[in-house]
Amino acid sequence: MIRHAHDDAELLALVRRYVTPERRYLKLGGALLRMQDPEYDRFMRDLCEDARLINADEIAILLEGGWRERRTAAWFVAVSRRTEFREHLGNLLLASEVCCTGLAYSVTLASFGTARDAELLAAYLDRYLRRPDLAYDQAVVMAALRFIDLNLAADQADRFLGPGGSWQQWLQDAPHMQSDTDPTPSYLSLIRRLCALVDECAGAG
């Protein structure tokens, strides 16, 4: 059950403290890559500081909220290296209860970068590559899985990408895919750049 800040005082206090200042929740993603100094330096400094200040219970509460809260919490998890939330984020990704969070979950798991993170991403693909009618986060999750594979010299993505694999079938059948071009390379570049920002923030702690 999703908690809503407008009727949940505990969640609302956390939203006002961590999520909505300067509309942080909107900037955690591709918009962060377009920031210029001094806005970028200030944003990253505040993000790193809040990621250190927020405690695990508060993160867990944010992860019960809507997409704004969950996106912000996932970034806090990533930059503070709270790997104890790995399974929880994997479950949230698989459930896909709310929109606009898949990139944040994928970046966090990719930044952790272990074989278990790859398994969680693969579980998502096992479920949602069978649903070409759902324009969810298939492409960004595939990119995150490829990112981990490349770093670990692993091959978890191969079973989706090979001839006759479910990835090519999904690209062919998904009505929202408007061209024959595989979007994975552009999303892989996005994941790589965002993970570099996570590393930058984590290293500043």
Side-chain angles (χ1 to χ4, degrees):
M1 183 176 179
I2 298 173
R3 295 171 65 167
H4 300 282
H6 59 77
D7 59 11
D8 187 323
E10 183 179 39
L11 178 58
L12 179 60
L14 293 175
V15 167
R16 288 175 171 169
R17 171 65 181 87
Y18 292 111
V19 179
T20 55
E22 298 189 18
R23 305 181 81 186
R24 170 184 278 164
Y25 64 92
L26 284 179
K27 300 171 183 177
L28 293 170
L32 185 54
L33 300 173
R34 298 188 291 273
M35 280 189 194
Q36 302 294 320
D37 293 334
E39 180 188 15
Y40 173 82
D41 286 340
R42 184 179 65 253
F43 184 91
M44 290 294 287
R45 182 178 63 249
D46 291 345
L47 177 66
C48 297
E49 181 179 354
D50 283 346
R52 291 193 297 270
L53 290 174
I54 192 170
N55 63 48
D57 290 340
E58 291 170 330
I59 289 176
I61 292 169
L62 288 178
L63 288 172
E64 295 175 351
W67 71 267
R68 297 167 182 84
E69 297 94 319
R70 295 185 188 197
R71 176 189 284 182
T72 307
W75 272 82
F76 286 152
V77 169
V79 302
S80 58
R81 303 297 200 211
R82 299 181 199 236
T83 55
E84 67 268 25
F85 282 98
R86 169 185 287 118
E87 300 296 328
H88 189 26
L89 292 185
N91 290 335
L92 290 176
L93 176 65
L94 191 61
S96 292
E97 293 178 310
V98 298
C99 68
C100 306
T101 56
L103 176 59
Y105 300 151
S106 297
V107 167
T108 303
L109 294 174
S111 71
F112 292 162
T114 69
R116 179 55 185 159
D117 300 294
E119 289 172 357
L120 293 170
L121 294 165
Y124 177 94
L125 295 173
D126 277 326
R127 175 175 295 184
Y128 288 104
L129 289 182
R130 301 173 185 173
R131 296 296 306 273
D133 57 312
L134 298 179
Y136 283 4
D137 296 296
Q138 290 92 334
V140 73
V141 171
M142 175 60 77
L145 180 58
R146 291 283 310 281
F147 178 84
I148 294 176
D149 271 357
L150 289 169
N151 287 337
L152 297 181
D155 58 2
Q156 290 221 41
D158 287 359
R159 64 187 176 89
F160 303 108
L161 296 170
S166 55
W167 178 247
Q168 291 300 322
Q169 191 64 48
W170 180 80
L171 288 177
Q172 176 181 318
D173 295 343
H176 61 282
M177 300 301 296
Q178 298 299 313
S179 72
D180 294 331
T181 303
D182 187 338
T184 306
S186 62
Y187 279 112
L188 179 57
S189 175
L190 176 63
I191 292 288
R192 182 178 290 116
R193 294 171 70 191
L194 291 176
C195 282
L197 296 185
V198 168
D199 289 344
E200 174 188 335
C201 199

